[in-house]
């Protein structure tokens, strides 16, 4: 494991030389107070949207993203139905500490964060890397999870994940806007137009935004994803033990998580529902926020 981690960190260093986080689209949802809470030896910052009672919905961010990188249309829409909690992992945005280099350590921090807030049961929504973290929590702390929503996320060792390094390297040559549009949306004019609308919403917030990830934190996250990408057939067998409801949402033209990976996860989980959105990429829910919010609300309600 230590050898794998050293190799992943080495590859991450190569990938990230000259690579910049997506600072252009730092933004956020509607105004919400930024708070902090102690988790182990660090303080994690978080925000709460909405005042709904019942099971809260905790959002887990993608690689390279902070809590300000969620599309406000998604957060505001979900907040009409659930209390929505977003937070920054260790070393990300306004949170202190060192960013973990494994998905399991990130899951540990997320669990500690949720419990320190006083919750014993939550719904989880994980986007991309956040979906990996959510799956780890569902496996290791199943009593904490009520329902699980995975967007643009595949199972451990799934097809295509081991190529993420090369794809990030290729993105170095692009502008931040093109990194966002090319990485998160399909090449069609329709998808890119909706991507630009999402970008405008995320960029609208000008004050009190999270700082972009440092190279060290981004490198740690890449190492965590590359570690998760290692082939792991036993992971599929373990996934069968998670019987809670799961909603899997994917884009037809996701370049990071191929539809085949999401289909395999759907076939593995005993109580899963799969929604594939047409002419969409990795961030399908940013492209169709209204449709996604309604689908999610129905899933959580029923």
């Amino acid at each position: 494991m230590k050898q794998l981690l050293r190799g992943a960190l080495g590859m991450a260093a190569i990938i990230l030389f000259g690579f910049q986080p997506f600072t252009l689209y730092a933004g956020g949802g509607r105004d919400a107070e930024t708070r902090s809470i102690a988790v182990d030896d660090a303080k994690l910052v978080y925000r709460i949207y909405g005042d709904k009672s019942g099971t809260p919905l905790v959002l887990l961010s993608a690689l390279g993203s902070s809590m300000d990188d969620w599309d406000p249309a998604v957060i505001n829409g979900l907040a009409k139905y659930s209390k929505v909690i977003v937070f920054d992992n260790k070393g990300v945005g306004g949170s202190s500490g060192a960013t973990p280099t494994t998905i399991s350590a990130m899951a540990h921090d997320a669990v500690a964060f949720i419990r320190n807030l006083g919750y014993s049961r939550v719904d989880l929504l994980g986007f991309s890397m956040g979906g990996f973290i959510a799956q780890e929590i569902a496996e290791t702390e199943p009593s904490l999870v009520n329902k699980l929503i995975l967007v643009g996320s595949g199972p451990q060792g799934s097809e295509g994940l081991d190529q993420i390094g090369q794809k990030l390297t290729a993105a170095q040559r692009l502008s931040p806007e093109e990194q966002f549009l090319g990485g998160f949306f399909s090449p069609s004019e329709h998808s890119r137009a909706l991507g630009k609308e999402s970008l405008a919403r995320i960029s609208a917030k000008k004050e009190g935004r999270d700082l972009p990830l440092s190279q060290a934190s981004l490198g740690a996250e890449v190492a965590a994803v590359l570690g998760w990408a290692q082939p792991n057939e036993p992971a599929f067998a373990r996934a069968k033990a998670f019987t809670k409801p799961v909603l899997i949402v994917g884009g037809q033209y996701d370049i990071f998580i191929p539809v085949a990976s999401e289909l395999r996860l759907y076939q593995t989980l005993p109580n899963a529902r799969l929604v594939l959105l047409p002419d969409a990429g990795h961030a399908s829910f940013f492209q169709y926020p209204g449709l996604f919010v309604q689908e999610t609300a129905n899933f959580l309600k029923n």
Side-chain angles (χ1 to χ4, degrees):
M1 180 63 187
K2 290 182 178 178
Q3 184 176 3
L4 170 62
L5 180 57
R6 285 196 297 269
L9 286 171
M11 185 178 294
I14 295 171
I15 292 167
L16 295 171
F17 182 76
F19 181 80
Q20 298 297 319
F22 299 145
T23 56
L24 176 66
Y25 62 94
R30 62 187 182 188
D31 290 340
E33 178 187 0
T34 299
R35 314 174 190 181
S36 66
I37 191 169
V39 172
D40 298 330
D41 57 348
K43 282 191 175 181
L44 303 192
V45 295
Y46 69 99
R47 300 182 189 130
I48 298 178
Y49 298 89
D51 56 1
K52 298 296 183 182
S53 59
T55 306
L57 176 63
V58 178
L59 275 53
L60 302 167
S61 297
L63 185 153
S65 299
S66 72
M67 61 181 175
D68 276 335
D69 293 321
W70 293 87
D71 190 321
V74 171
I75 290 182
N76 294 345
L78 293 173
K80 295 178 181 178
Y81 302 95
S82 301
K83 178 184 291 185
V84 177
I85 302 173
V86 295
F87 73 101
D88 285 337
N89 199 4
K90 288 180 181 177
V92 174
S95 293
S96 64
T99 303
T101 56
T102 65
I103 296 299
S104 61
M106 293 178 182
H108 165 83
D109 291 343
V111 169
F113 165 75
I114 291 166
R115 287 186 169 150
N116 288 0
L117 284 181
Y119 297 111
S120 59
R121 193 175 181 85
V122 297
D123 296 318
L124 291 177
L125 192 169
F127 172 37
S128 192
M129 183 186 76
F132 309 156
I133 299 169
Q135 291 175 65
E136 182 76 10
I137 295 173
E139 180 180 325
T140 59
E141 302 285 345
S143 63
L144 185 64
V145 182
N146 180 50
K147 292 185 178 182
L148 190 62
I149 303 161
L150 305 173
V151 182
S153 189
Q156 188 172 5
S158 61
E159 177 186 346
L161 282 182
D162 58 347
Q163 300 172 22
I164 194 167
Q166 295 92 316
K167 291 171 182 175
L168 287 176
T169 300
Q172 292 179 34
R173 300 185 298 270
L174 304 176
S175 68
E177 179 177 356
E178 279 305 313
Q179 289 177 19
F180 180 79
L181 295 176
F184 281 0
F185 298 86
S186 86
S188 76
E189 290 185 11
H190 175 254
S191 182
R192 285 176 61 85
L194 294 177
K196 289 179 180 179
E197 292 179 10
S198 174
L199 183 62
R201 291 191 296 266
I202 298 172
S203 302
K205 182 179 177 181
K206 303 301 182 183
E207 301 294 332
R209 300 186 306 185
D210 265 338
L211 295 172
L213 270 70
S214 67
Q215 292 294 333
S217 289
L218 189 58
E221 291 191 350
V222 171
V225 170
L226 291 175
W228 179 267
Q230 300 305 307
N232 193 328
E233 281 300 321
F236 290 97
R238 295 194 302 270
K240 293 180 181 179
F242 186 74
T243 59
K244 306 289 181 62
V246 181
L247 175 64
I248 303 169
V249 179
Q252 183 181 9
Y253 298 111
D254 191 332
I255 64 172
F256 293 113
I257 307 293
V259 169
S261 292
E262 292 163 327
L263 180 59
R264 188 174 184 193
L265 184 60
Y266 164 72
Q267 292 171 330
T268 300
L269 292 165
N271 193 9
R273 179 180 181 187
L274 176 63
V275 176
L276 296 177
L277 296 174
D279 191 26
H282 194 50
S284 58
F285 65 152
F286 288 3
Q287 179 166 329
Y288 302 113
L291 178 62
F292 171 77
V293 166
Q294 192 59 58
E295 195 74 37
T296 301
N298 291 338
F299 170 72
L300 294 176
K301 180 180 179 181
N302 299 318

